[in-house]
Amino acid sequence: MYAEVIVDVAAYPIDRPFDYAVPKKWQSILEPGVRVKVPFGSRKVVGYVTNTKMDSELDPEKIKSIVEIIDLEPVLSKELLALSKWMAADTIAYEIDALQVMLPAAMRAKYEKVMRVRSPELLDESFRAFIGNREQVTLKALQDADLLKETKSYSERGIVQIDTAIQQKTKIKKVRMIHIPDVDRLEVALTETHPNAKKQAELLRWLMKHASQSIEASKILHEANITATVLKALLDKQIIEQSQMEVYRELDAPKMKDSGKPEYLTDEQQVALSAIEQASDRDQQETFLLHGITGSGKTEIYLQAIDHVLKKGKEAIVLVPEISLTPQMTARFKGRFGELVAVLHSGLSSGEKYDEWRRIHRGEVKVAIGARSAVFAPFTNVGLLILDEEHESTYKQEESPRYHARDVAIWRADYHQCPVILGSATPALESYARATKDVYTLLTLTERAKQQALPSVEVVDMREELKTGNRSMFSVALTEAMKERLARKEQIVLLLNKRGFSSFVLCRDCGTVVECPNCDISLTYHRSTESLKCHYCGHEERVPLECPQCESEHIRFFGTGTQKAQEELFKLLPEARVIRMDVDTTNTKGAHERLLHDFGEGKADILLGTQMIAKGLDFPRITLVGVLAADTSLHLADFRAAEKTFQLLTQVSGRAGRDQLPGEVVIQTYDPDHYAIELSKSQEYVPFYELEMDRRRQLGYPPYYYVTVVQFSHEDVLKAADYAHKGTTFLAERLSPNTIIIGPTAAAISRLNNRYRYQCLIKYKQEPALIPILQQLLKHYKMNWAKDGLAMSINREPTAIF
Ligand code: ADP
Ligand code: ZN
Ligand code: ZN
């Protein structure tokens, strides 16, 4: 018997399974989807068994044998193995990358598998003798003792349990506790205290109010308003004592609750839900585009559709963009389905992620919610897949394998013959175009679920503001509107559109912008550390005091970050309580949740932030949304700039007036006549869609054409250009004449991490030979060009083209 094995050797130029012999003793236990160790060259490497067979075309003398079995149960099902094959081909990736992306990171690392006995009385004599009184035995040891077959059979009957011996690295949290004596002792201490030691006396009086208790040191410092030195003085005199105490980690996300299932669905919701349920009952693949304005009750439809498939004994996968994976969102699912929900988000440690993965793998949960990679949730009886905010570009992975979660979801739905729901208020142009051609079934929600009106939108021309002498970031209209809300104790959301915009340092004398020494891109100013950072390679330096070019001192930071906005806001409305949410304030675990929770509790009047606040917020007291600098994202050199701007404005406007109180939106811009801004006033998607489609047709962009970008980078600029030229010629000679090849051209960021970047763009309507030809190019690159230091990547349907 032979096994086809994909080995984990990324550098090897040949991407195909290798045949290995299966030793006789393992023939009955080895299945596709398990990991093994095999000899490769002079090493032993990990590989994935993708198939088993009785014959091999190779010379049996030369075939090596599998040396170790890592898993007894397959970690990848037949479905996921097939999916990885398809995905590798479709995205021109290596099969090993396609396999590994489906597993939690903890399984990619080298963790040992161990066996623990659950019911020792059911083991046979010799097996029990081998285990002895050990609590756990590694699979390797069992293998060496030739007991794998028995182990597998015990494991299938639940007599033993196989686990990964993952180390919980989480540190135990400790706090310093102060033990306060009784009042008498404190009285004595007070009389003995030197009259000049006023602070010590003060502390002693405070302690008397808390006599015979143990209190956290930090709490005493804070509440008694004293310094650590004073506390130490009493410790030194042994009046009080201290100790370290272990505490449990606080639960990360403060609990938020679901408002519960509404009594009735709206007519539109009912129509949409029935269509989905019928597709589910027909056991047919069907992709629905659920286009519903913000607050129209899309999430409610997801919940009820999931309920329907759970009742049929099936499972559901819900994908949301990472930033909208808010506690509010997950609380709604947990509120409805309780313990049946697993949440996979980036805030989990790798051990926690592995635990959630295992709960899915073992069938302990029925609903998986998570960002992009949750689309690979190892369910075996999927009944529904949902992508919320389907237009979000984060659904496309921009590193190998460059898959789009939408395509993977549709593939899995096809395998399981079940429906897919793509939901959005502003669908991707591609998706809406497919819906108009009946590739997807369009379902439309035109009204808000609670019948509230959409907010009124006002566009303010900031050029006019400047003319009338207002140099602030806030227009008169927005300032007035904010004052009204503060007076009425209502809440405000302010969005600073930072897409395509950053704060940089500019010399006012010679115009020099400080750039990264490794990349051709300007450095971003960070006020909190007074430093300049490159967001591409991580380079960091101090803010220069004089211009590196002309040595002028008139070099200063330019642009408007959230910190600057917060400072201006403070000058303008000193009484307002502001929560700022951006990359700087949300980079610690759970910070995002905490800030939102505080805002939801009414601990602030204004939530000021970047696009991360645009989504998912559902707070009843938000009645005003302000957008500062709406047009910055229009100036990206990306053909999707208008679409992304329209999506963002619509999303953020949807945060206002979601409950009883009516909402208002103020959009500030230097470009009020641009159609993306003009049309966001009415918040109507279809007119925007039609205009934008016209433009795409004229320019020959998606969805009228498909595009693929091939990028070449090298440390030597001449070599980069040369290989880009060779690659482009290779493609031009082989692809059909109707296919348009543009380039090679320098990439928008022409140098990154000291590598020069060139690219060529392939545009086509139909190109059946595309995949095989790109695979040939990739193989050619691996065999011949890679060793010369070239890096080449192929990206089908990139999220942005510069
Ligand atoms: P969307 O996902 O389209 O933004 P949601 O599903 O979040 O919309 O619904 C918006 C609000 O309306 C939520 O507070 C939700 O609880 C409520 N809601 C949804 N459907 C109904 C309904 N049929 N009746 C009453 N309230 C509803
Ligand atoms: Zn200068
Ligand atoms: Zn850099």
Side-chain angles (χ1 to χ4, degrees), residues 378-635:
F379 284 131
T380 51
N381 192 13
V382 179
L384 178 65
L385 295 112
I386 298 170
L387 267 83
D388 188 32
E389 314 282 4
E390 67 90 32
H391 60 275
E392 273 296 316
S393 56
T394 53
Y395 283 128
K396 170 81 191 288
Q397 173 153 306
E398 288 296 356
E399 61 188 62
S400 183
R402 296 182 166 79
Y403 70 94
H404 197 297
R406 189 206 304 125
D407 302 334
V408 175
I410 292 173
W411 189 97
R412 293 196 74 179
D414 211 43
Y415 186 94
H416 293 280
Q417 289 296 298
C418 73
V420 175
I421 310 175
L422 308 175
S424 177
T426 51
L429 248 62
E430 284 88 340
S431 299
Y432 203 80
R434 282 181 201 148
T436 61
K437 292 192 164 170
D438 291 332
V439 180
Y440 300 160
T441 309
L442 184 64
L443 303 169
T444 313
L445 307 177
T446 58
E447 282 172 10
R448 284 186 151 183
K450 298 182 199 160
Q451 259 69 49
Q452 326 83 322
L454 276 176
S456 60
V457 181
E458 182 184 354
V459 173
V460 177
D461 185 345
M462 291 305 276
R463 294 169 307 185
E464 291 299 320
E465 294 282 316
L466 211 59
K467 275 188 204 150
T468 59
N470 178 10
R471 304 180 146 269
S472 130
M473 289 170 73
F474 301 94
S475 62
V476 174
L478 182 55
T479 311
E480 286 309 310
M482 288 196 289
K483 283 182 179 156
E484 275 175 32
R485 297 314 183 290
L486 291 176
R488 294 207 297 256
K489 303 257 180 296
E490 292 169 7
Q491 288 184 304
I492 302 163
V493 166
L494 291 180
L495 171 81
L496 188 72
N497 186 0
K498 292 241 294 183
R499 225 169 230 169
F501 188 90
S502 61
S503 322
F504 49 94
V505 168
L506 174 114
C507 170
R508 297 207 166 180
D509 284 332
C510 76
T512 293
V513 171
V514 182
E515 290 190 343
C516 174
N518 311 319
C519 313
D520 285 337
I521 195 121
S522 52
L523 292 171
T524 302
Y525 175 71
H526 284 253
R527 174 164 301 199
S528 52
T529 47
E530 271 298 309
S531 63
L532 293 171
K533 286 182 196 162
C534 174
H535 286 183
Y536 289 87
C537 75
H539 169 84
E540 187 172 346
E541 60 184 64
R542 307 273 318 151
V543 175
L545 297 174
E546 56 182 39
C547 171
Q549 280 298 324
C550 74
E551 298 182 9
S552 156
E553 288 166 16
H554 296 137
I555 183 156
R556 56 187 60 130
F557 109 90
F558 211 83
T560 10
T562 39
Q563 292 178 358
K564 173 133 185 282
Q566 189 175 17
E567 283 162 23
E568 273 209 30
L569 205 50
F570 180 70
K571 282 182 214 148
L572 198 65
L573 306 166
E575 73 278 22
R577 297 163 303 160
V578 180
I579 288 180
R580 193 181 100 215
M581 235 166 94
D582 56 22
V583 281
D584 290 331
T585 61
T586 53
N587 56 9
T588 56
K589 192 175 172 182
H592 189 223
E593 287 80 357
R594 242 180 339 265
L595 293 176
L596 283 182
H597 178 76
D598 288 352
F599 189 65
E601 296 268 282
K603 289 184 186 157
D605 309 300
I606 301 179
L607 180 65
L608 165 71
T610 52
Q611 19 286 341
M612 67 174 75
I613 63 170
K615 293 187 196 71
L617 295 183
D618 191 2
F619 294 124
R621 295 204 68 80
I622 301 174
T623 60
L624 174 67
V625 167
V627 182
L628 316 173
D631 37 287
T632 47
S633 54
L634 283 175
H635 305 308

Side-chain angles (χ1 to χ4, degrees), residues 178-243:
I178 300 293
H179 308 289
I180 306 168
D182 57 28
V183 182
D184 295 344
R185 173 81 186 88
L186 290 166
E187 283 276 16
V188 175
L190 192 58
T191 54
E192 287 170 355
T193 303
H194 195 276
N196 286 348
K198 293 214 172 64
K199 280 278 170 194
Q200 286 183 31
E202 198 180 304
L203 176 57
L204 283 168
R205 277 187 219 102
W206 187 91
L207 291 174
M208 278 180 198
K209 286 182 254 158
H210 303 87
S212 311
Q213 293 179 25
S214 294
I215 302 180
E216 255 183 68
S218 61
K219 195 172 167 192
I220 297 179
L221 297 182
H222 182 76
E223 291 190 0
N225 194 21
I226 50 133
T227 63
T229 334
V230 181
L231 193 65
K232 185 163 182 302
L234 299 196
L235 279 167
D236 289 346
K237 290 188 199 163
Q238 294 176 351
I239 298 167
I240 51 176
E241 285 175 2
Q242 66 176 356
S243 70

